[in-house]
Amino acid sequence: MRVKYCNFKVGEVYLFHTDDPRCPDAESLWGLYDRHDGGSVRLESCSTDQKHFSKGRHLPEQYRFCRLSTRSELRDYMVNSICSEIKGLS
């Protein structure tokens, strides 16, 4: 689905892609939706590799497609995000 038509839900993880509407997990930006801010999507956190996470970012404009994560993708994202936080504390 195109990002502009997505009915985002706060706290859900979405996968975003620049040109593939299927948003394959290995090639997509993963992001935890926070809100719309000034007409753009604001992500609480996001990652392209599930190892390095950015916080409080706007979705870059080149990402045109998105899909809601599966429950297993959501689980993986949350676990990896938490592990990244823990590693950053040590």
Side-chain angles (χ1 to χ4, degrees), residues 31-53:
L32 180 62
Y33 178 76
D34 184 24
R35 66 183 185 273
H36 269 75
D37 185 15
S40 66
V41 173
R42 180 93 169 163
L43 302 172
E44 184 174 322
S45 65
C46 60
S47 177
T48 56
D49 63 7
Q50 300 298 300
K51 295 176 186 164
H52 304 95
F53 291 80

Side-chain angles (χ1 to χ4, degrees), residues 51 53 55 78-90:
K51 295 176 186 164
F53 291 80
K55 298 204 178 275
M78 298 310 286
V79 167
N80 290 327
S81 176
I82 291 167
C83 288
S84 175
E85 284 280 327
I86 292 170
K87 288 178 185 176
L89 295 175
S90 57

Side-chain angles (χ1 to χ4, degrees), residues 39-76:
S40 66
V41 173
R42 180 93 169 163
L43 302 172
E44 184 174 322
S45 65
C46 60
S47 177
T48 56
D49 63 7
Q50 300 298 300
K51 295 176 186 164
H52 304 95
F53 291 80
S54 296
K55 298 204 178 275
R57 301 285 173 110
H58 287 277
L59 178 67
E61 289 184 24
Q62 68 263 31
Y63 288 94
R64 298 180 302 153
F65 297 100
C66 68
R67 68 171 175 84
L68 181 63
S69 66
T70 63
R71 295 297 96 183
S72 62
E73 289 170 337
L74 171 63
R75 180 201 61 228
D76 292 348

Side-chain angles (χ1 to χ4, degrees), residues 2 16-21 23 27-29 60-65:
R2 290 199 176 267
F16 301 92
H17 204 277
T18 56
D19 58 349
D20 187 343
C23 301
E27 302 169 12
S28 295
L29 171 72
E61 289 184 24
Q62 68 263 31
Y63 288 94
R64 298 180 302 153
F65 297 100

